[in-house]
C-alpha cells in the first residue's frame, strides 16, 4: 500500500504511488519555464550568447540546440531524455519546447516528467546590421577597376559573385564609372574577396591602410584598409596587337589576335591560323598590350563569298589550334558601301557559322590610323585589311525570344544611360553564344515569356531549358503573410 494514500501499488523503493511521488517531489524545480531569444529582423539571425549570430530555420536542430543551451546549467541536475518543439504561429514571437527529463528521487526510485519551456522572441539589431544601416561605418574597402569603355567583364564578375554568394558580407556596394567598390566590416572578408577576384579574372592588387585611432594604454590600433584590384583592360571581342616577344613565346602566333573570352585568363585566337593561347594576369602585366578598337567602332559587313580552308600547314614551333572554329577565306563588303565595288579580302575563324549573304561585325584596319606601339612597327603586309568578330543577328527578335533572366547585385548606382543597356544586351548575347562562360553563371527561367517553337528560327544561338534554373517564388500564404519575419 502507498504510504501516503493507501492505494495498492507494485513495490518500489519509495513505497509511494506515482501521484503522491510527484506531489512530494518536483524534479523540474530550478529549471526556468520561460526565457527569451534575441532575433535580428534585418538579417534573420538568432543571437547565440555571448556575441555570435547564427541562421536558424524554425523548428530546426540548430534552433533547438540554441534554446537548450540557455537552460543547460539547470539541466545538469536531471537527465534529458527527449526534447522537441510544440507548434506555434510563425508570427506569434513564441517558441515552445517540450522536454522529457528523468531524475533519481527517494531511495533510488527514478521519476520521469514532461514539461514545457516557453521562449519569447525579442527583436534586437545585430552589430553587422547596425553597420549596414550606418552606411559609412566600414573597416575595409575593395576597389575593383578596369580601364575600358565596355563593362562586359563586370557583368560576368557580378554573376560569379552572386553564384558564390560573396556579396553576403558586404556592408554596401557602390557603382562608379569604371568599376565597383565593396565595403566590409572586417579586413578578413575584404581579403577573401580579393583572393576570389584574383582566381576568377586576370588582375593585380595593391593594399594600403590608414590609422584611425590608437589606444596607448591597451596598445590597440584601429585601421581602415583599402584594397585596389585592377582587372586587365581587355574584353571579349577586342582586337589586340601583341608584342613580338610575347607572340613568339606563345608559339609564334600572329601579333594581331582576337580575344574570344576572358575568364581567369585571356583567351586569344589568331584569325589567320586558328592558333589559340591563354594569357594569365602575371604574363599580361609583364608584357602589356592594349585593345586596338573600341566596341563602338564595330562596322557591319556582308559576306560576298567564303571559302573554307580545310588544311593549313603548321609553322615550325606553332602552338595548339582551336577545334571549335573553322578557318575560312572571305570576300566582304561594308553595308555602308554597297553602292561601290570595293571589296575586302580577309581570313576569319568564323567559317563554321558564316555563309554568303550573312551580315557580320568586324573592324576595318585598312582605313584606320592604328595608334599602337607594336602595330606601328609591324610590316604592313602582315596587318589584315579586316578582322571579323561575330555574326550579326536581329537583336530585337532575340530580346523578344529570351525566356531567361539573370539576378543582379543590390548596389548604389550612378545614373544609367542607354549605353549601359546596350552593353548589358551584348553580355546577354555573349552568354547565348558561349557555352564555356555560361557554365559559371546561374541562369533563371523567365516564366513571363512563353517557350516558342523553333520553326521560325533564324539560326541565332539560344539557351536550352535544361541549362536554366527555376527561380524560387514563395507566396504570402506559405510564409504566414505580413509579420512573418522569423521564417527563413
Amino acid at each position: 500500500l502507498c504510504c501516503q494514500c493507501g492505494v495498492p501499488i507494485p513495490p518500489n523503493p519509495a513505497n509511494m504511488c506515482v501521484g503522491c511521488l510527484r506531489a512530494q517531489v518536483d524534479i523540474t524545480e530550478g529549471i526556468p519555464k520561460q526565457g527569451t531569444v534575441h532575433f535580428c529582423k534585418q538579417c534573420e539571425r538568432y543571437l547565440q550568447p555571448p556575441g555570435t549570430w547564427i541562421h536558424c530555420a524554425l523548428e530546426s536542430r540548430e534552433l533547438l540546440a540554441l534554446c537548450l543551451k540557455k537552460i543547460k546549467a539547470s539541466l545538469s541536475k536531471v537527465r534529458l531524455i527527449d526534447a522537441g518543439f510544440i507548434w506555434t504561429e510563425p508570427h506569434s514571437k513564441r517558441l515552445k519546447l517540450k522536454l522529457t527529463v528523468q531524475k533519481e528521487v527517494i531511495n533510488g526510485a527514478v521519476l520521469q516528467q514532461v514539461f514545457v519551456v516557453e521562449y519569447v522572441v525579442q527583436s534586437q539589431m545585430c552589430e553587422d546590421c547596425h553597420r549596414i544601416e550606418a552606411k559609412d561605418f566600414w573597416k575595409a574597402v575593395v576597389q575593383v577597376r578596369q580601364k575600358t569603355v565596355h563593362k562586359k567583364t563586370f557583368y560576368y564578375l557580378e554573376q560569379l559573385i552572386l553564384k558564390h554568394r560573396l556579396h553576403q558580407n558586404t556592408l554596401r556596394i557602390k557603382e562608379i564609372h569604371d568599376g565597383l567598390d565593396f565595403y566590409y566590416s572586417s579586413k578578413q572578408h575584404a581579403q577573401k574577396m580579393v583572393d576570389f577576384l584574383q582566381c576568377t579574372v586576370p588582375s593585380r592588387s595593391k593594399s594600403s591602410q590608414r590609422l584611425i585611432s590608437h589606444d596607448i594604454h591597451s596598445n590597440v590600433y584601429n585601421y581602415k584598409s583599402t584594397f585596389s584590384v585592377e582587372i586587365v583592360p581587355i574584353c571579349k571581342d577586342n582586337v589586340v596587337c601583341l608584342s613580338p616577344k610575347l607572340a613568339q613565346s606563345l608559339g609564334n602566333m600572329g601579333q594581331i589576335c582576337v580575344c574570344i573570352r576572358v575568364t581567369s585568363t585571356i583567351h586569344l585566337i589568331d584569325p589567320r591560323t586558328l592558333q589559340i593561347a591563354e594569357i594569365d594576369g602575371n604574363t599580361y602585366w609583364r608584357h602589356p598590350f592594349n585593345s586596338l578598337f573600341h566596341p563602338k567602332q564595330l562596322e557591319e559587313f556582308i559576306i560576298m563569298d567564303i571559302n573554307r580552308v580545310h588544311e593549313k600547314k603548321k609553322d615550325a614551333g606553332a602552338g595548339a589550334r582551336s577545334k571549335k572554329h573553322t578557318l575560312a577565306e572571305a570576300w566582304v563588303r561594308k553595308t555602308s558601301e554597297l553602292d561601290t565595288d570595293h571589296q575586302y579580302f580577309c581570313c576569319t575563324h568564323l567559317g563554321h557559322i558564316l555563309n554568303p549573304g550573312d551580315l557580320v561585325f568586324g573592324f576595318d584596319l585598312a582605313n584606320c590610323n592604328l595608334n599602337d606601339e607594336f602595330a606601328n612597327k609591324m610590316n604592313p603586309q602582315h596587318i589584315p585589311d579586316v578582322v571579323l568578330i561575330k555574326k550579326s543577328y536581329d537583336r530585337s527578335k532575340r530580346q523578344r525570344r529570351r525566356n531567361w533572366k539573370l539576378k543582379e547585385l543590390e548596389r548604389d548606382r550612378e545614373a544609367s544611360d542607354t549605353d549601359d543597356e546596350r552593353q548589358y544586351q551584348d553580355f546577354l548575347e555573349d552568354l547565348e553564344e558561349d557555352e564555356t562562360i555560361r557554365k559559371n553563371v546561374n541562369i533563371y527561367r523567365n516564366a513571363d515569356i512563353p517557350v516558342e517553337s523553333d520553326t521560325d528560327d533564324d539560326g541565332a544561338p539560344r539557351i536550352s531549358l535544361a541549362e536554366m534554373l527555376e527561380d524560387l517564388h514563395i507566396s504570402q500564404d506559405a510564409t504566414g503573410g505580413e509579420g512573418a519575419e522569423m521564417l527563413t
Side-chain angles (χ1 to χ4, degrees):
L1 298 179
C2 173
C3 65
Q4 291 287 331
C5 62
V7 174
I9 56 167
N12 63 46
N15 288 332
M16 287 190 204
C17 64
V18 177
C20 294
L21 196 56
R22 283 186 175 157
Q24 291 283 327
V25 182
D26 181 15
I27 63 171
T28 65
E29 191 177 3
I31 301 175
K33 307 298 188 294
Q34 287 187 326
T36 56
V37 175
H38 293 97
F39 176 75
C40 178
K41 288 182 180 180
Q42 270 75 9
C43 59
E44 298 185 339
R45 294 187 298 174
Y46 291 89
L47 174 64
Q48 182 174 315
T52 311
W53 291 83
I54 56 173
H55 285 283
C56 299
L58 280 179
E59 300 194 7
S60 64
R61 294 174 64 181
E62 294 81 6
L63 187 57
L64 183 64
L66 187 143
C67 294
L68 288 175
K69 279 179 184 175
K70 288 190 167 288
I71 55 173
K72 185 179 179 182
S74 310
L75 289 174
S76 60
K77 296 173 184 176
V78 295
R79 186 181 173 198
L80 183 63
I81 301 299
D82 187 30
F85 283 102
I86 298 174
W87 188 84
T88 54
E89 287 285 345
H91 56 271
S92 65
K93 299 288 186 183
R94 297 290 185 276
L95 299 173
K96 288 187 178 181
L97 256 62
K98 183 182 179 182
L99 304 180
T100 306
V101 294
Q102 283 183 354
K103 187 179 181 182
E104 191 176 309
V105 290
I106 306 166
N107 299 329
V110 176
L111 187 62
Q112 180 170 307
Q113 197 167 335
V114 180
F115 66 103
V116 175
V117 180
E118 184 178 305
Y119 290 93
V120 178
V121 180
Q122 291 187 349
S123 298
Q124 178 180 325
M125 190 181 281
C126 66
E127 193 176 344
D128 293 338
C129 291
H130 264 298
R131 289 173 177 171
I132 293 170
E133 290 299 316
K135 293 210 185 292
D136 296 324
F137 189 89
W138 52 272
K139 287 283 183 70
V141 60
V142 179
Q143 298 173 336
V144 188
R145 300 288 182 271
Q146 187 183 30
K147 296 183 175 69
T148 56
V149 177
H150 209 289
K151 295 181 178 179
K152 275 185 186 178
T153 310
F154 277 107
Y155 292 131
Y156 174 63
L157 201 57
E158 177 184 19
Q159 296 305 317
L160 286 177
I161 290 169
L162 283 166
K163 181 169 185 174
H164 296 282
R165 304 172 70 86
L166 278 169
H167 60 292
Q168 287 187 323
N169 296 319
T170 53
L171 300 177
R172 178 188 179 202
I173 302 173
K174 186 180 179 184
E175 182 180 307
I176 57 174
H177 68 283
D178 59 350
L180 293 168
D181 287 349
F182 297 88
Y183 294 89
Y184 293 91
S185 58
S186 72
K187 187 179 178 181
Q188 288 78 12
H189 289 148
Q191 186 65 57
K192 186 179 177 183
M193 182 61 153
V194 173
D195 294 341
F196 172 78
L197 291 172
Q198 289 182 327
C199 292
T200 50
V201 286
S203 58
R204 62 179 174 182
S205 65
K206 289 188 279 188
S207 63
S208 63
Q209 54 186 18
R210 181 163 58 98
L211 182 66
I212 303 301
S213 62
H214 172 212
D215 188 347
I216 58 173
H217 301 294
S218 58
N219 210 25
V220 173
Y221 293 83
N222 182 18
Y223 288 104
K224 275 194 175 183
S225 304
T226 302
F227 295 88
S228 175
V229 179
E230 185 181 354
I231 302 173
V232 296
I234 305 296
C235 290
K236 185 180 183 296
D237 298 338
N238 281 166
V239 176
V240 299
C241 183
L242 309 179
S243 65
K245 186 177 179 182
L246 179 59
Q248 187 180 10
S249 69
L250 295 174
N252 290 329
M253 281 186 84
Q255 285 183 250
I256 303 289
C257 295
V258 178
C259 175
I260 52 174
R261 191 181 305 119
V262 177
T263 54
S264 55
T265 54
I266 304 169
H267 299 254
L268 299 177
I269 188 168
D270 184 349
R272 295 190 295 175
T273 62
L274 291 191
Q275 192 172 329
I276 54 174
E278 294 183 15
I279 299 175
D280 59 9
N282 293 332
T283 307
Y284 176 84
W285 299 117
R286 283 200 304 272
H287 306 282
F289 51 87
N290 294 314
S291 172
L292 299 180
F293 297 94
H294 296 310
K296 291 179 181 177
Q297 293 170 287
L298 274 172
E299 295 188 69
E300 195 174 51
F301 294 85
I302 186 167
I303 304 288
M304 307 305 293
D305 190 22
I306 188 163
N307 178 32
R308 288 166 182 80
V309 180
H310 295 292
E311 284 197 21
K312 190 174 177 70
K313 188 181 176 183
K314 254 192 174 185
D315 296 331
R321 288 185 178 176
S322 173
K323 299 283 192 295
K324 294 182 179 180
H325 299 85
T326 304
L327 188 64
E329 295 174 341
W331 287 94
V332 297
R333 187 184 292 181
K334 286 185 184 179
T335 53
S336 59
E337 297 177 356
L338 288 177
D339 53 341
T340 66
D341 293 332
H342 195 148
Q343 292 188 7
Y344 302 90
F345 175 78
C346 66
C347 290
T348 177
H349 59 290
L350 302 175
H352 57 298
I353 57 172
L354 294 181
N355 294 300
D358 284 346
L359 295 176
V360 61
F361 287 116
F363 292 110
D364 179 7
L365 279 77
N367 303 313
C368 69
N369 292 322
L370 290 176
N371 187 18
D372 185 85
E373 58 171 323
F374 303 128
N376 292 338
K377 294 175 184 176
M378 282 181 67
N379 185 340
Q381 294 178 348
H382 294 160
I383 298 178
D385 290 343
V386 171
V387 177
L388 302 182
I389 300 297
K390 60 180 179 179
K391 190 174 177 180
S392 172
Y393 300 99
D394 185 352
R395 170 168 278 186
S396 59
K397 190 181 287 186
R398 287 180 80 171
Q399 280 184 257
R400 286 198 307 272
R401 283 183 177 174
R402 193 168 288 140
N403 60 339
W404 53 273
K405 59 185 176 181
L406 301 175
K407 292 191 174 179
E408 294 185 8
L409 286 173
E410 291 184 14
R411 56 186 184 266
D412 301 341
R413 295 175 180 273
E414 291 186 331
S416 60
D417 52 15
T418 53
D419 193 43
D420 286 353
E421 180 59 32
R422 183 184 62 81
Q423 292 179 17
Y424 188 65
Q425 292 300 324
D426 284 346
F427 171 68
L428 297 182
E429 289 172 9
D430 289 346
L431 281 181
E432 290 175 333
E433 292 164 12
D434 195 340
E435 186 183 350
T436 309
I437 61 169
R438 203 158 65 220
K439 290 176 181 174
N440 302 326
V441 174
N442 281 346
I443 296 168
Y444 296 92
R445 188 173 178 277
N446 190 354
D448 300 334
I449 299 174
V451 181
E452 291 185 5
S453 64
D454 297 336
T455 51
D456 58 342
D457 199 358
D458 58 352
R462 297 171 71 177
I463 298 177
S464 64
L465 282 171
E467 296 177 84
M468 300 181 198
L469 301 171
E470 282 289 345
D471 200 3
L472 181 64
H473 291 288
I474 300 176
S475 64
Q476 275 211 335
D477 298 336
T479 57
E482 196 170 340
E485 301 92 348
M486 288 163 55
L487 278 177
T488 57

